[in-house]
Amino acid sequence: MQQQAHQQQHSCTLDECFQLYTKEEQLAPDDAWRCPHCQVLQQGVVKLSLWTLPDILIIHLKRFRQVGERRTKLSTLVRFPLRGLNMAPHVAKRSQLDSLYDLYAVCNHHGSMQGGHYTAYCRNSLDGRWYSYDDSAVEPVLEDEVSTRGAYILFYQRRNVIPSWSASSSVQGGPAPLSQGEGKDNSHGLFTERSGSLARTQINHKAQGHTH
């Protein structure tokens, strides 16, 4: 019980999550593969690599795990940057440019495996301020309050790309906001069509097991 409580209290960074996600892992003897040349079973090494980066990067943090018959929620604090997430160190193709991302929304999960509630933090692209969305309640929130133990899904946007469906920041001098109803049919699919190989990236932050 004390060990579990300790694991629930520690924190890590999003960068550390990516390092673990792309770390080399030696296969167990039961997973050995037969070499096609010498026909001898080999205990190989596998490694996940990120090859390309999307304009919209959606990061799904692992918040649930299963140990035997028991399923628990992970409340590890994952510290993630609101600006300047640099994905260059985690991409196999290092020559790719424009690897900086800025956060524009966070989906939070509150509760446990038995029941919970979802809220969101979103950055307004017009005034640059963050707001908390809890059902019909909307109120301003400080930037320091965006990163919490309830963070579940992170939404990042490539810094030098402004989607046509998004009202750009007035500071950046982008296009005017969309009129009512404009772009609605298109925006729903962008998270899956334009997110590329990282559309549903699951980050295992120092915990193994089942992902909910």
Side-chain angles (χ1 to χ4, degrees), residues 98-128:
D98 298 334
S99 58
L100 291 180
Y101 287 80
D102 296 320
L103 187 74
Y104 68 90
V106 179
C107 176
N108 304 297
H109 179 271
H110 311 273
S112 63
M113 294 294 300
Q114 288 68 39
H117 179 64
Y118 289 94
T119 63
Y121 294 136
C122 300
R123 181 180 179 273
N124 188 303
S125 59
L126 296 180
D127 61 18

Side-chain angles (χ1 to χ4, degrees), residues 14 29 48 50 52 58 65 67-68 73 76 78-79 81 109 121 123 155 164 185 188 197:
L14 186 60
L48 293 174
L50 308 180
T52 60
I58 302 176
R65 68 175 175 180
V67 179
K73 180 182 176 181
T76 304
V78 180
R79 301 189 301 274
H109 179 271
Y121 294 136
R123 181 180 179 273
F155 297 84
S164 59
D185 294 338
H188 178 74
S197 59

Side-chain angles (χ1 to χ4, degrees), residues 7-185:
Q7 292 177 347
Q8 293 289 323
Q9 292 174 1
H10 87 283
S11 64
C12 63
T13 65
L14 186 60
D15 186 68
E16 290 173 335
C17 293
F18 273 109
Q19 291 178 16
L20 288 175
Y21 185 71
T22 58
K23 183 180 178 180
E24 290 186 354
E25 179 182 358
Q26 186 172 26
L27 295 175
D30 294 340
D31 296 323
W33 63 282
R34 187 176 301 277
C35 176
H37 302 288
C38 63
Q39 300 300 316
V40 176
L41 291 176
Q42 305 286 339
Q43 191 173 350
V45 175
V46 296
K47 184 180 186 303
L48 293 174
S49 297
L50 308 180
W51 189 251
T52 60
L53 294 174
D55 292 339
I56 300 298
L57 175 62
I58 302 176
I59 302 175
H60 184 183
L61 300 177
K62 181 174 181 178
R63 285 300 183 195
F64 304 95
R65 68 175 175 180
Q66 182 168 349
V67 179
E69 299 293 331
R70 186 176 182 181
R71 301 177 68 188
T72 59
K73 180 182 176 181
L74 300 173
S75 59
T76 304
L77 175 62
V78 180
R79 301 189 301 274
F80 49 86
L82 273 62
R83 301 180 185 86
L85 171 64
N86 187 9
M87 292 296 298
H90 311 298
V91 182
K93 191 176 180 181
R94 297 294 180 90
S95 60
Q96 181 168 345
L97 301 177
D98 298 334
S99 58
L100 291 180
Y101 287 80
D102 296 320
L103 187 74
Y104 68 90
V106 179
C107 176
N108 304 297
H109 179 271
H110 311 273
S112 63
M113 294 294 300
Q114 288 68 39
H117 179 64
Y118 289 94
T119 63
Y121 294 136
C122 300
R123 181 180 179 273
N124 188 303
S125 59
L126 296 180
D127 61 18
R129 299 177 62 186
W130 283 88
Y131 293 86
S132 171
Y133 294 82
D134 186 353
D135 291 335
S136 60
V138 180
E139 58 184 19
V141 63
L142 299 177
E143 287 190 356
D144 295 341
E145 301 175 355
V146 173
S147 180
T148 68
R149 295 182 182 272
Y152 190 24
I153 304 177
L154 311 178
F155 297 84
Y156 280 92
Q157 177 178 305
R158 196 192 299 267
R159 174 166 292 182
N160 295 331
V161 175
I162 301 177
S164 59
W165 49 265
S166 174
S168 63
S169 172
S170 57
V171 178
Q172 296 177 338
L178 297 176
S179 59
Q180 185 175 3
E182 182 180 355
K184 285 187 176 180
D185 294 338

